Amino acid sequence: ELWMHSLAVAYLCKELSTAVKYGNPSEFFLMGLFHDIGKLLLAQIVDRLEHGKMIPYEISSEQFQYVVVSSHGKFGECLINRWKLGETFARVARYSEEAEQVAQPSHEMMVVYLANRLALELGYGKLPADAKRLTDLRTVSRLELTAEKLEEIKTRVTELMANSGTL
């Protein structure tokens, strides 16, 4: 599930960067792949803690979800910094789900945030019940995207995902 979500975000990042004519689409593709890397790191940490008997109990699904939601951005940022992928990649990992709350988000943060949101709408992950409509997001207006352009991008990425089903 995480892999398919990240792949969808990567394709969406590439399409969005092309649509807004900003940056290198291949770099945006990589940002999309890595945006949730902190979730993978946290899953490995919890697994090692449980199997190494370093904690005397099993972590429930609800507890794990809480930790992942609240901390994966920070863990992703740390991992990307350790890999020396650069400040842009690190900030994207840190704020990929929070760009709407950042006062001056970078183009990269906005593109990855919007790609993540679009991936959830396409069914690659769970869209929160209280999620704003796409057209109500500041990111959409800041990137000067129309509802029609977003639908075109979603259609293209749906096709790309269908064709990559054998990965």
Side-chain angles (χ1 to χ4, degrees), residues 12 14 17 32 45 54 69 100 113 128 152 155 161:
L12 286 157
K14 187 175 182 180
S17 72
I45 290 168
M54 294 178 189
V69 168
E100 286 281 302
Y113 170 82
E152 285 176 33
T155 299
M161 292 298 290

Side-chain angles (χ1 to χ4, degrees), residues 74-94:
K74 295 172 194 157
F75 276 80
E77 178 184 38
C78 290
L79 185 59
I80 286 174
N81 281 331
R82 185 174 178 100
W83 289 343
K84 296 179 179 14
L85 294 178
E87 184 63 27
T88 300
F89 274 74
R91 288 184 55 77
V92 162
R94 173 76 183 263

Side-chain angles (χ1 to χ4, degrees), residues 48-108:
R48 286 183 183 175
L49 289 173
E50 285 180 345
H51 287 90
K53 307 284 190 243
M54 294 178 189
I55 51 176
Y57 57 88
E58 202 169 294
I59 295 175
S60 73
S61 175
E62 294 80 20
Q63 291 168 323
F64 179 71
Q65 279 302 111
Y66 175 78
V67 169
V68 167
V69 168
S70 63
S71 303
H72 81 276
K74 295 172 194 157
F75 276 80
E77 178 184 38
C78 290
L79 185 59
I80 286 174
N81 281 331
R82 185 174 178 100
W83 289 343
K84 296 179 179 14
L85 294 178
E87 184 63 27
T88 300
F89 274 74
R91 288 184 55 77
V92 162
R94 173 76 183 263
Y95 298 107
S96 66
E97 294 180 12
E98 301 170 6
E100 286 281 302
Q101 288 78 42
V102 175
Q104 296 294 321
S106 67
H107 273 83
E108 293 86 359

